[in-house]
Amino acid sequence: MHAIVRHDDGSLSQQQVDRPTPGPTEVLIKNAAAGINPVDWKIRANGDAFGTFDAARPMILGWDVAGEVVEVGAGVTRFEVGDRVFGMPRFPRPAEAYAEYVVAGSREVARTPAALSDIEAGALPLAVLTAWQAVVDTLHIGEGDRLLVHAASGGVGHLAAQIAKARGAEVWGTASAKNHDALRDLGVDHLIDYRTERFEEIAVDMDAVLDLVGGSEHAERSVKSLRRGGRLVVVPGGDAIPPASMLDDAGVSATWILVEPDYASLEAVAAMIEAGSLRVVVGDTRPLDRLAELHEIGETGGPMGKLVATIG
């Protein structure tokens, strides 16, 4: 099969590699679309941050999968050949999603909503699971909560804002001014242009902040937006968590999360999509053999939403 392989110098190229075979409890997916995420280009540029890739195998990046089940392993009861599925297998272990065929655990993927194209489904998994696990499982956002989402126009941010809104929250978002109208259309209540405004002077007394930007200085500024008892989640990395003394003085808590495969959350997301309360924005697509271009676009800021490689 064709796959995109990462080389030692950080470059990407399309190569022929062996097609995988599903084992017990696994399915083989004919991949139609693979979303591109910041973790992909960070590992491409800097190497295996998680230490989970096998140096003896070609390094194939990618975790977003959307396509059709073409083979099922022993013990699989959730799917049959021909089912459309989407998911984020194995993260942070290699899923090798930049390829024509992908093996996934049957409980790492969910049925693709009929309302979604393969490209839209391929845009969702890692970003929407990050959003769900931050907003629902970690921040426990509910009716009347005031939430500030940083990078609200990004792949995770535009989904997190909608999930919070659907749960009854009042949502603030930071984004460049060019994306404000689109975010209002997705339901964001208050928008802050991070290029010209200090968010901590506008979004105050927040119940929660979801920081998708990262960096210690940005997280420390986010503490100033929180009320006493507020919660901060930083996604890009635990090294950005503000000092304990600052958190104690402000009376707030902070943590970071690393997204995990979770079919139940994907099914909850699918229900939202079918109900019309969640939309995914696809910013750009390129065929698999031009996937390196999507990395370049993402690294330079890119358009609102997600970047997706089409396959086949």
Side-chain angles (χ1 to χ4, degrees):
M1 67 173 183
H2 291 297
I4 301 299
V5 174
R6 186 249 187 202
H7 303 287
D8 290 342
D9 63 359
S11 63
L12 299 171
S13 70
Q14 182 170 283
Q15 294 185 11
Q16 287 277 349
V17 301
D18 291 338
R19 174 172 156 173
T21 302
T25 73
E26 295 179 331
V27 296
L28 179 66
I29 301 164
K30 188 177 189 301
N31 204 12
I36 315 301
N37 296 286
V39 67
D40 301 4
W41 61 74
K42 290 175 183 177
I43 291 177
R44 191 215 77 240
N46 302 313
D48 180 9
F50 299 114
T52 57
F53 285 81
D54 183 351
R57 290 171 54 83
M59 189 173 184
I60 301 171
L61 298 172
W63 282 274
D64 283 337
V65 177
E68 180 180 318
V69 174
V70 293
E71 188 177 343
V72 297
V76 173
T77 59
R78 286 171 45 77
F79 301 108
E80 298 178 350
V81 170
D83 286 340
R84 292 178 69 224
V85 296
F86 73 123
M88 183 197 71
R90 292 190 172 84
F91 188 87
R93 296 159 189 83
E96 301 184 349
Y98 291 176
E100 292 181 302
Y101 292 88
V102 178
V103 163
S106 68
R107 293 181 180 272
E108 296 175 323
V109 296
R111 282 181 173 80
T112 302
L116 282 188
S117 67
D118 287 331
I119 290 174
E120 291 169 322
L124 272 171
L126 191 148
V128 83
L129 284 174
T130 302
W132 186 277
Q133 290 167 19
V135 170
V136 179
D137 297 339
T138 306
L139 290 171
H140 307 294
I141 295 298
E143 188 72 34
D145 280 339
R146 293 156 57 90
L147 171 67
L148 171 61
V149 178
H150 289 306
S153 62
V156 176
H158 84 285
L159 298 168
Q162 292 177 80
I163 291 168
K165 191 65 181 174
R167 296 175 69 82
E170 186 174 358
V171 180
W172 276 252
T174 63
S176 60
K178 67 180 180 181
N179 293 321
H180 284 193
D181 287 344
L183 287 167
R184 288 190 187 95
D185 188 52
L186 294 178
V188 179
D189 298 292
H190 311 281
L191 286 153
I192 300 166
D193 184 352
Y194 68 90
R195 299 182 187 213
T196 61
E197 299 173 295
R198 300 284 292 183
F199 65 80
E200 67 271 33
E201 297 174 358
I202 299 170
V204 297
D205 295 324
M206 297 289 109
D207 296 291
V209 175
L210 176 56
D211 186 358
L212 301 168
V213 174
S216 58
E217 188 264 347
H218 199 267
E220 289 174 11
R221 289 174 58 201
S222 295
V223 168
K224 298 177 183 178
S225 284
L226 289 166
R227 64 166 176 80
R228 295 193 71 83
R231 295 98 66 200
L232 167 66
V233 164
V234 179
V235 171
D239 56 352
I241 295 296
S245 58
M246 174 181 287
L247 299 175
D248 290 343
D249 288 346
V252 304
S253 62
T255 189
W256 77 286
I257 65 167
L258 188 63
V259 65
E260 302 175 63
D262 179 5
Y263 81 88
S265 295
L266 287 176
E267 289 178 346
V269 165
M272 289 185 67
I273 290 167
E274 295 285 18
S277 57
L278 183 67
R279 287 181 281 159
V280 59
V281 175
V282 176
D284 201 348
T285 64
R286 304 288 165 95
L288 184 66
D289 62 359
R290 295 172 57 193
L291 186 147
E293 297 174 16
L294 295 174
H295 275 234
E296 293 175 7
I297 292 168
E299 287 179 294
T300 57
M304 177 172 166
K306 282 295 297 290
L307 305 170
V308 182
T310 56
I311 305 168

